[in-house]
């Protein structure tokens, strides 16, 4: 189906990025909306359209997202009304009834009707039977991806002894002393008042930056030790980020590994 | 009271028909992927471990979209058939069926969804005047 360039996913993402930067409008479920747009485009193509306006496609995909959401909300409400937590097929059918009630459906006026005999279900059955099978164009991963986060263990878990008495052992352990201890102490006596604050801030920044860089270097040397333990099942693609993320690796104790520190120059 | 024995038999048939239909849903692959439907159902609080219900929602949504799209297609074709100025030009244009905001809003109005599209953003008083009146 011809369009302004949604032929493959890369173009889709690029166009999304462009529209994002130009409109400054960021939605939290952009990925799901993009998938909905592709699905709607496929259905429109099967109906007979050859191309579409972008605004029309966006409006229609917005509407079907709302439709799904509303159907779920109604079905959930019906289930809760019946005293259940999990929804039933009859809850879903009643939800469909509510959504279609504006147009009307066969058998609505029949008081003793059976839900399954409703015009709605029959319409769906006919729809499934008549139409051809059009699977979705892309393979959709399971989303939203849940990342496993293994935080720094507690004192007790790490086997460390908290140095102070007032610190219980079930609290998370302190990071390595290298990360927060300053390497070099800067002391200058002769400074003007206006420069003092500035230099003081610079000093603080350097103090933070240097140990942080040590921290980073440590992890960089450790490689991806902790990352591999986070991969669960087939969520490979989304987990690549966590695999290469050194901050998710387990912290090392002081002296466990030799760290080669290269001199770092600040601008 | 006469309805009861008939309705009970009918109910059994309907139940079996419903369960058969739900089973057949697993063979049918709806165009709207299951992951998308599950995402939005989870957002709304819908909880169900049964995959067939997810498929049912997906099929119902697909049916809804197909209905709206076919209504819009009818509007589009009706408009193309109505405008017959130069037969050769229109035959060339007839091949192109475009889903426009206009047709979509007309077909959605029947479903109770009010979609209004800004026709133009005027930067001068004469913007958007019909070409016929403009020529006059």
């Amino acid at each position: 189906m011809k369009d302004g360039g949604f032929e493959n996913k890369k173009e889709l993402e690029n166009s999304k990025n462009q529209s994002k930067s130009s409109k400054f409008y960021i939605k939290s479920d952009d990925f799901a909306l993009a998938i909905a747009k592709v699905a709607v485009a496929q259905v429109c193509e099967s109906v007979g359209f050859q191309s579409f306006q972008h605004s029309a496609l966006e409006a229609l995909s917005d509407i079907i997202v709302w439709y799904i959401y509303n159907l779920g909300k109604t079905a959930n409400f019906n289930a809760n009304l019946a005293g259940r937590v999990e929804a039933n097929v009859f809850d879903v059918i009643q939800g469909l009834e509510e959504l279609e009630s504006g147009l009307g459906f066969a058998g609505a006026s029949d008081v003793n009707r059976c839900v399954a005999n409703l015009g709605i279900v029959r319409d769906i059955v006919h729809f499934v039977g008549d139409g051809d099978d059009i699977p979705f164009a892309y393979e959709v991963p399971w989303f939203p991806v849940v990342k496993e986060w293994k935080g720094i263990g507690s004192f007790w878990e790490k086997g460390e002894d908290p140095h102070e008495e007032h610190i219980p052992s079930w609290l998370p352990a302190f990071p390595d002393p290298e990360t927060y201890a300053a390497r070099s102490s800067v002391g200058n006596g002769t400074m003007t008042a206006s420069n003092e604050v500035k230099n003081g801030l610079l000093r603080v920044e350097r103090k933070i930056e240097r140990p942080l860089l040590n921290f980073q270097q440590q992890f960089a040397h450790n490689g991806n030790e902790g990352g591999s333990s986070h991969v669960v099942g087939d969520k490979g693609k989304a987990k690549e980020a966590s695999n290469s993320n050194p901050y998710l690796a387990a912290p090392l104790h002081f002296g466990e590994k030799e760290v080669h520190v290269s001199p770092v120059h600040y601008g | 009271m006469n309805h009861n024995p008939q309705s009970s038999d009918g109910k059994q048939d309907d139940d079996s028909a419903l369960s058969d239909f739900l089973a057949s849903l697993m063979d049918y692959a709806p165009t709207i992927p299951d992951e998308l439907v599950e995402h939005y159902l989870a957002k709304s609080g819908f909880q169900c471990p049964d995959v067939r219900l997810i498929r049912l929602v997906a099929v119902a949504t697909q049916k809804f979209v197909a209905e709206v799209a076919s209504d819009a297609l009818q509007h589009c074709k009706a408009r193309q058939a109505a405008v017959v100025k130069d037969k050769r030009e229109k035959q060339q244009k007839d091949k192109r069926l475009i889903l426009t905001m206009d047709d979509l809003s007309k077909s959605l109005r029947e479903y109770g969804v009010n979609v209004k599209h800004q026709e133009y953003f005027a930067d001068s008083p004469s913007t958007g005047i019909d070409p016929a009146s403009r020529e006059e």
Side-chain angles (χ1 to χ4, degrees):
Chain A
M1 182 155 173
K2 260 200 173 181
D3 170 44
F6 279 31
E7 291 303 308
N8 55 21
K9 228 170 190 178
K10 265 192 178 176
E11 285 181 355
L12 191 118
E13 285 169 11
N14 283 340
S15 66
K16 249 196 314 166
N17 289 336
Q18 284 168 12
S19 64
K20 259 192 201 175
S21 57
S22 60
K23 291 180 189 174
F24 301 101
Y25 185 48
I26 299 173
K27 291 181 195 168
S28 61
D29 56 353
D30 264 332
F31 183 63
L33 267 178
I35 294 177
K37 276 188 215 171
V38 176
V40 166
Q42 278 186 272
V43 174
C44 286
E45 190 185 18
S46 74
V47 167
F49 278 109
Q50 284 148 356
S51 56
F52 48 78
Q53 283 182 351
H54 275 285
S55 52
L57 184 73
E58 282 187 16
L60 194 52
S61 54
D62 236 356
I63 286 168
I64 70 149
V65 158
W66 178 91
Y67 187 86
I68 298 173
Y69 181 83
N70 217 1
L71 195 50
K73 205 167 91 166
T74 314
N76 189 37
F77 173 75
N78 288 333
N80 290 341
L81 199 61
R84 280 180 276 113
V85 170
E86 287 184 357
N88 214 342
V89 64
F90 299 112
D91 298 327
V92 175
I93 293 177
Q94 263 192 314
L96 280 172
E97 233 181 277
E98 282 189 38
L99 283 174
E100 299 276 331
S101 59
L103 277 181
F105 48 87
S109 58
D110 193 8
V111 177
N112 292 330
R113 68 180 186 272
C114 170
V115 172
N117 211 14
L118 270 183
I120 286 180
V121 181
R122 258 185 267 149
D123 284 342
I124 295 183
V125 173
H126 288 315
F127 179 74
V128 171
D130 293 339
D132 295 327
D133 214 3
I134 312 168
F136 189 65
Y138 303 113
E139 205 182 291
V140 183
W142 187 259
F143 69 95
V145 177
V146 178
K147 283 187 184 173
E148 258 190 43
W149 182 70
K150 195 178 170 187
I152 300 173
S154 63
F155 282 110
W156 182 76
E157 278 174 18
K158 287 174 72 177
E160 278 181 2
D161 206 20
H163 303 292
E164 314 291 322
E165 271 189 18
H166 64 276
I167 304 176
S169 59
W170 45 263
L171 282 179
F174 287 132
D176 288 340
E178 275 190 342
T179 62
Y180 53 80
R183 289 208 135 211
S184 60
S185 57
V186 183
N188 281 328
T190 54
M191 250 188 270
T192 58
S194 58
N195 283 337
E196 258 182 14
V197 177
K198 226 184 184 180
N199 285 336
L201 283 172
L202 277 173
R203 257 183 285 150
V204 168
E205 276 177 26
R206 285 178 190 177
K207 273 188 186 174
I208 294 172
E209 279 178 36
R210 209 175 294 203
L212 267 182
L213 272 170
N214 292 339
F215 199 61
Q216 287 176 7
Q217 281 165 7
Q218 228 182 22
F219 280 150
H221 283 294
N222 296 339
N224 303 326
E225 268 183 12
S228 57
S229 60
H230 298 307
V231 175
V232 175
D234 298 333
K235 303 170 194 173
K237 271 189 182 174
K239 294 289 183 181
E240 275 173 0
S242 67
N243 268 340
S244 59
N245 192 352
Y247 295 107
L248 295 178
L252 289 180
H253 295 294
F254 178 71
E256 230 178 79
K257 192 162 184 178
E258 265 186 24
V259 175
H260 301 281
V261 179
S262 54
V264 181
H265 298 284
Y266 295 92
Chain B
M1 294 301 286
N2 288 331
H3 294 292
N4 282 342
Q6 291 172 4
S7 63
S8 64
D9 286 341
K11 269 184 185 173
Q12 284 174 8
D13 289 338
D14 290 330
D15 283 345
S16 60
L18 192 58
S19 52
D20 288 340
F21 169 63
L22 287 176
S24 73
L25 267 184
M26 292 314 292
D27 297 329
Y28 182 82
T31 310
I32 300 175
D34 284 343
E35 288 86 2
L36 179 76
V37 176
E38 280 221 44
H39 178 243
Y40 283 111
L41 288 180
K43 254 194 177 183
S44 67
F46 181 90
Q47 246 183 340
C48 188
D50 201 352
V51 189
R52 297 175 298 174
L53 280 190
I54 313 276
R55 286 277 167 99
L56 178 64
V57 174
V59 165
T61 315
Q62 191 182 338
K63 178 171 159 291
F64 173 73
V65 177
E67 281 174 3
V68 171
S70 61
D71 281 348
L73 189 72
Q74 282 174 13
H75 279 122
C76 184
K77 282 185 177 170
R79 193 194 307 140
Q80 279 182 350
V83 182
V84 181
K85 279 186 181 175
D86 192 351
K87 278 189 179 176
R88 282 183 190 174
E89 281 181 23
K90 285 305 156 187
Q91 274 174 8
Q92 284 174 7
K93 280 189 184 178
D94 273 350
K95 291 176 185 175
R96 215 73 185 133
L97 289 165
I98 305 176
L99 175 66
T100 58
M101 209 49 202
D102 212 6
D103 297 331
L104 188 65
S105 66
K106 279 182 196 166
S107 59
L108 278 173
R109 198 169 297 165
E110 293 168 24
Y111 288 86
V113 182
N114 205 359
V115 177
K116 273 191 180 169
H117 188 60
Q118 188 74 300
E119 285 174 12
Y120 56 85
F121 295 93
D123 50 359
S124 75
S126 61
T127 317
I129 298 177
D130 286 335
S133 57
R134 201 187 284 161
E135 282 167 15
E136 285 170 9

